[in-house]
Amino acid sequence: MLFKPSQLAIATHCALFLSVLPTTHANAESSPQSPNHNASMERMIITGSRSAERIDEVPSSVTLIDQQTLAQDMLITTELQNLLAFRVPGLAPSTGTSSNSGQNLRGRAALVMIDGVPQSTPLRNGQLGISSIDAGAIERIEVIKGATSIYGNGASGGIINYITKRASKDKVRINVGVSSKFSAVKLQDSAGYRVDTSIDGTIDDFSYVFSAITEKTGLERDAEGDVIGLVYGLSETKSNNYFTKLGYQLDDDKSIQLTYNYYEAQQDADLIDVIGSVNSGEKTYAIENTSGIVKPGVPQGPRGNHNLMLKYVDQEIFTNTQLTVDGYLQKIENMFFFSTALANPSEGYEGGQSIIKSEKKGLRINFASQIDWDNIESTVIYGIDALEDVSSQPLEDGRIWVPEMDMRNLAAYLQTKFVVADDWVFKAGIRQDSVDLSVEDYQTLKLCSTASTCSVPFDVTGGELNYDSTTYNVGLRYNMNALFSPFISFSQGADISDIGRLLRSATVNDIALIRTEASIVDNYEVGFSGQVGDVNYEIAAYRSESELGTSNTFDATTGVYLPVRAPQKIWGYEAQLDYRVQDNLSTGLSYSWIEGKDTENDTYLDGSTISAPKFTAYVNWQPVEDANVGINYMYVGDRKRFEQVNGQYVGSQGPIEHYNVVNLASSYQINNWQLSLGVENLLNEDYFSARSQAYTYGGYNTKSLGTTINVGVKTSF
């Protein structure tokens, strides 16, 4: 049985609630398929409430990366980590690798989604979710900041939702793009290629999108020309993304849509690392494997991530109410790098390679109703979420590190919005979650940092863990005038993420004795936005608190980092400004600052949670009608909160020194052809990323990409 009687009770209560709701008429703007949708999309979001709404009716910080901005940034790089780091205030700087470990959103984990389908693996968070689709399949990106339970577990820091491409209104449109990326510091073996093809269109009531993208990177080199290290490395990685979206308009109100996306990206490089460390000051870099010994392990990276979603929309299921039903299936396999930390010499293992496996099945039923009074417009969104997530983390050699976890989640939610006299926007919502998590009996893995320093394996009795949580949100925005629009909000998120990490580090013989309690995150935000002439701005301050967090402590006896559950407080502020200087010239800047503490011990949170201050700026210039030039700039500041322990920095407590990065994007249009030149790290800054400086673990202190050229040509017909 997929769900227990206690969970079915939630569905029953929700059904009763639906039956007594008044019948009303849905606003056209609340419909993802409405005729006005295309014209208004640039100022609309769908992620925050599951129904399209205007940004000026959202009482919290939102970042949108539209299609034009995304396309321009992709002339520089297609790495989503890098694109988001430059464009999203509050998101930590890019790690420069395939892993987004340490790239948090406001100090907490972000739930990454594709069209609302979760890509993160919260039960065993390998922190690879940001790179779960090729940027070429994305039309726009919506980022909602702050804890939210609107989509369930794993969104304690907010949501990053990739909205995939839609079909054009033409019967047939074909797009072809070819590009090559290579190092300007040392060309040798650095050249790669990318081929991006798609065909889409609309024929009567049928729409379609087919996309195939292949990319192969050469050797990625730092500012000194050395090959960047292999831990989550990107050198000699081959990726494929196949995307299909089919839609059919059944009648004026009803439509159905089928979406499938497949993504893989594996590094297969005959290289070995020369290991340095934060404490020695020596970087980790890779060299050709000339030892004659076959390198252990198999290629790392996503081995084949599948996402299938079927969506049905009825604009008026009953009077003034829209119904959206979507079901989805997802299968993820993320292979990690070979690590000697997974050694067990007594059993013949010199190391190991883990793989996170996750399969999700979900069904979502969402209603959106509108009720209008004299000078009040109200929207009520309500529905049911059902999800089964089966995740584990075995080793490639057959050993079990994290046992299979079977989570069944049933939730009911209600979200309301009231717009009074076109000026006051009040939002309030509630979500009730019932979660059952089953784990079979298992034994923790014996791991050895040296032949004589090993962890002690435990036989752990499995069982079932149950979580019931109720979370709330409330917010108020006053659109007083164009110059000044203040907002304030409170939101909660229920987070049981990374149970797998707790299970694999168990030091007791029963999962009931492991501190696996869910964490409720309280998020407070206050801010204001406005427009003064051609200047748009937003300033926000926030604070989030949780009774339980997850951090690490080093056990010198076993050489293993153990999780610590302790109360956390995180606070910070963000500011963003955009200025349209002339019709052909625009500029902007942003600043993010964040800090956090373990309030039980009054100690600062480390670099795996809190990022260094970040400043970004951009300039876009169109010197002539068919040419465009863009410059992006990022400054990452200092953060030095920790002292050495016995003469060494430990864990994620390395000091962060500031650095600067400048990127260039340029293009020229000749009829249907676009010629492009992008330059990443234009000034060849020689630097370690913030994460490479903070993480003291062996092999993580790699330098970032040196000056890299990306040249390409695209056509559409």
Side-chain angles (χ1 to χ4, degrees):
M1 183 170 65
L2 181 61
F3 296 106
K4 297 175 62 179
S6 63
Q7 294 176 312
L8 294 176
I10 295 179
T12 303
H13 291 319
C14 188
L16 291 173
F17 170 75
L18 302 185
S19 67
V20 300
L21 271 175
T23 57
T24 53
H25 191 274
N27 189 326
E29 284 191 340
S30 69
S31 163
Q33 303 294 330
S34 67
N36 295 330
H37 177 65
N38 290 343
S40 61
M41 188 63 182
E42 291 307 315
R43 298 301 297 166
M44 305 285 285
I45 65 166
I46 61 173
T47 305
S49 63
R50 299 185 186 234
S51 186
E53 60 182 340
R54 288 164 29 195
I55 295 176
D56 60 7
E57 293 182 356
V58 179
S60 59
S61 295
V62 176
T63 296
L64 299 184
I65 303 176
D66 60 28
Q67 186 175 19
Q68 182 178 356
T69 302
L70 184 62
Q72 177 174 297
D73 288 350
M74 285 178 61
L75 302 180
I76 304 168
T77 177
T78 57
E79 292 298 326
L80 284 164
Q81 272 201 47
N82 299 347
L83 299 178
L84 290 166
F86 273 88
R87 296 294 180 180
V88 182
L91 184 70
S94 171
T95 68
T97 69
S98 62
S99 167
N100 48 269
S101 173
Q103 192 175 26
N104 300 315
L105 185 58
R106 290 186 170 180
R108 299 191 184 272
L111 181 65
V112 179
M113 303 189 299
I114 298 176
D115 291 332
V117 176
Q119 302 303 299
S120 305
T121 53
L123 291 179
R124 173 68 277 272
N125 190 357
Q127 304 193 63
L128 299 171
I130 287 182
S131 300
S132 55
I133 187 174
D134 191 282
I138 301 172
E139 179 169 290
R140 56 192 263 125
I141 303 173
E142 300 179 354
V143 182
I144 310 298
K145 304 170 193 174
T148 176
S149 60
I150 193 69
Y151 287 93
N153 180 44
S156 58
I159 296 169
I160 300 173
N161 194 10
Y162 300 136
I163 311 298
T164 57
K165 287 191 170 179
R166 297 174 296 162
S168 67
K169 297 300 182 182
D170 300 327
K171 288 187 176 181
V172 179
R173 182 182 65 177
I174 299 174
N175 300 285
V176 179
V178 179
S179 61
S180 179
K181 187 172 73 171
F182 52 88
S183 172
V185 182
K186 186 177 181 180
L187 178 60
Q188 181 184 355
D189 298 325
S190 69
Y193 64 85
R194 176 181 172 87
V195 180
D196 184 340
T197 61
S198 67
I199 180 171
D200 63 82
T202 302
I203 303 173
D204 298 327
D205 294 323
F206 174 70
S207 63
Y208 63 93
V209 181
F210 300 103
S211 169
I213 304 169
T214 296
E215 184 166 3
K216 173 71 166 64
T217 62
L219 297 181
E220 297 219 317
R221 299 185 180 274
D222 62 25
E224 297 176 315
D226 293 321
V227 180
I228 296 171
L230 302 178
V231 175
Y232 300 111
L234 297 172
S235 289
E236 297 191 349
T237 294
K238 178 128 181 230
S239 65
N240 293 294
N241 197 104
Y242 306 115
F243 174 73
T244 298
K245 180 181 285 186
L246 305 175
Y248 188 75
Q249 195 72 32
L250 300 171
D251 58 30
D252 290 343
D253 293 329
K254 303 177 186 66
S255 63
I256 191 168
Q257 180 176 279
L258 177 68
T259 304
Y260 173 71
N261 193 77
Y262 171 85
Y263 177 73
E264 63 176 356
Q266 293 187 277
Q267 181 190 54
D268 189 6
D270 191 20
L271 302 167
I272 56 175
D273 272 340
V274 177
I275 304 293
S277 75
V278 168
N279 287 295
S280 70
E282 297 294 325
K283 70 180 180 183
T284 294
Y285 62 98
I287 59 174
E288 184 181 353
N289 181 13
T290 58
S291 66
I293 301 173
V294 177
K295 188 177 69 172
V298 298
Q300 65 172 309
R303 298 211 298 193
N305 294 350
H306 305 262
N307 286 274
L308 178 67
M309 182 171 69
L310 181 64
K311 174 179 287 189
Y312 171 77
V313 177
D314 189 335
Q315 304 290 358
E316 197 151 341
I317 183 66
F318 47 86
T319 307
N320 303 337
T321 297
Q322 179 202 60
L323 166 68
T324 303
V325 179
D326 60 79
Y328 59 88
L329 299 172
Q330 183 206 65
K331 181 178 180 180
I332 285 177
E333 291 190 357
N334 284 324
M335 179 65 73
F336 289 82
F337 55 89
F338 185 88
S339 173
T340 56
L342 298 173
N344 185 347
S346 65
E347 296 185 12
Y349 297 108
E350 299 302 318
Q353 199 167 3
S354 70
I355 179 171
I356 289 180
K357 296 183 177 182
S358 179
E359 294 187 16
K360 301 185 183 78
K361 294 182 289 186
L363 177 66
R364 299 181 298 208
I365 304 173
N366 186 78
F367 294 86
S369 301
Q370 182 167 325
I371 311 166
D372 294 338
W373 292 289
D374 290 340
N375 63 342
I376 300 176
E377 297 178 8
S378 64
T379 304
V380 183
I381 299 168
Y382 45 98
I384 299 174
D385 284 350
L387 168 66
E388 182 173 27
D389 182 348
V390 180
S391 297
S392 62
Q393 189 178 17
L395 301 190
E396 193 270 337
D397 56 34
R399 290 178 287 167
I400 300 300
W401 196 13
V402 175
E404 189 171 274
M405 300 164 287
D406 188 346
M407 182 187 79
R408 297 165 305 284
N409 183 189
L410 189 64
Y413 59 88
L414 169 67
Q415 186 71 40
T416 62
K417 179 174 69 175
F418 301 91
V419 182
V420 181
D422 295 326
D423 294 328
W424 292 92
V425 181
F426 174 76
K427 297 183 74 172
I430 182 174
R431 179 184 173 103
Q432 172 66 44
D433 277 274
S434 177
V435 179
D436 292 332
L437 181 70
S438 299
V439 180
E440 299 291 337
D441 296 349
Y442 71 100
Q443 184 183 73
T444 60
L445 195 61
K446 180 181 179 180
L447 301 177
C448 303
S449 58
T450 68
S452 60
T453 304
C454 300
S455 61
V456 177
F458 277 80
D459 289 318
V460 182
T461 301
E464 189 165 287
L465 303 172
N466 306 109
Y467 309 91
D468 289 291
S469 64
T470 304
T471 52
Y472 305 89
N473 67 80
V474 61
L476 179 67
R477 176 184 282 272
Y478 178 37
N479 293 321
M480 184 169 61
N481 53 50
L483 301 178
F484 184 70
S485 176
F487 61 84
I488 186 170
S489 67
F490 167 75
S491 59
Q492 292 182 306
D495 195 356
I496 63 166
S497 62
D498 227 344
I499 293 293
R501 190 162 171 239
L502 299 172
L503 297 181
R504 79 183 190 190
S505 303
T507 57
V508 292
N509 58 10
D510 194 318
I511 65 168
L513 302 176
I514 304 172
R515 295 200 67 189
T516 58
E517 307 100 303
S519 177
I520 300 296
V521 179
D522 295 333
N523 185 81
Y524 307 85
E525 182 176 10
V526 61
F528 53 91
S529 61
Q531 181 175 354
V532 182
D534 292 319
V535 176
N536 291 280
Y537 70 91
E538 181 177 86
I539 298 173
Y542 58 88
R543 178 190 183 100
S544 69
E545 299 175 345
S546 59
E547 291 301 317
L548 292 174
T550 301
S551 57
N552 290 310
T553 184
F554 182 71
D555 186 339
T557 303
T558 62
V560 174
Y561 286 89
L562 300 175
V564 174
R565 307 300 302 273
Q568 293 180 343
K569 176 178 67 177
I570 296 173
W571 65 97
Y573 61 88
E574 301 162 6
Q576 185 167 6
L577 181 148
D578 298 281
Y579 176 36
R580 189 172 183 85
V581 183
Q582 297 176 347
D583 290 342
N584 67 337
L585 179 64
S586 60
T587 185
L589 54 86
S590 72
Y591 182 74
S592 310
W593 181 90
I594 183 173
E595 193 50 270
K597 277 192 170 185
D598 173 336
T599 55
E600 184 174 78
N601 300 301
D602 194 28
T603 56
Y604 286 103
L605 299 178
D606 63 23
S608 66
T609 302
I610 303 299
S611 62
K614 184 182 74 172
F615 172 82
T616 68
Y618 73 87
V619 175
N620 287 332
W621 179 42
Q622 190 175 14
V624 295
E625 183 178 355
D626 295 321
N628 194 81
V629 178
I631 294 178
N632 296 337
Y633 168 72
M634 178 187 294
Y635 169 82
V636 177
D638 299 325
R639 185 173 190 257
K640 302 175 183 179
R641 291 294 192 187
F642 307 99
E643 301 295 330
Q644 293 181 333
V645 178
N646 297 324
Q648 303 280 311
Y649 290 106
V650 299
S652 304
Q653 297 182 358
I656 298 174
E657 298 276 356
H658 63 272
Y659 56 88
N660 304 269
V661 184
V662 179
N663 294 339
L664 168 70
S666 61
S667 62
Y668 188 77
Q669 196 77 25
I670 305 175
N671 297 323
N672 290 336
W673 295 84
Q674 181 195 68
L675 307 178
S676 65
L677 169 67
V679 184
E680 191 169 3
N681 194 359
L682 179 68
L683 304 181
N684 200 38
E685 178 89 351
D686 188 13
Y687 71 100
F688 293 93
S689 71
R691 189 189 77 169
S692 291
Q693 296 182 65
Y695 281 29
T696 65
Y697 318 115
Y700 279 77
N701 65 317
T702 57
K703 285 194 173 180
S704 294
L705 203 63
T707 300
T708 302
I709 309 297
N710 193 344
V711 294
V713 58
K714 297 179 183 178
T715 187
S716 179
F717 53 91

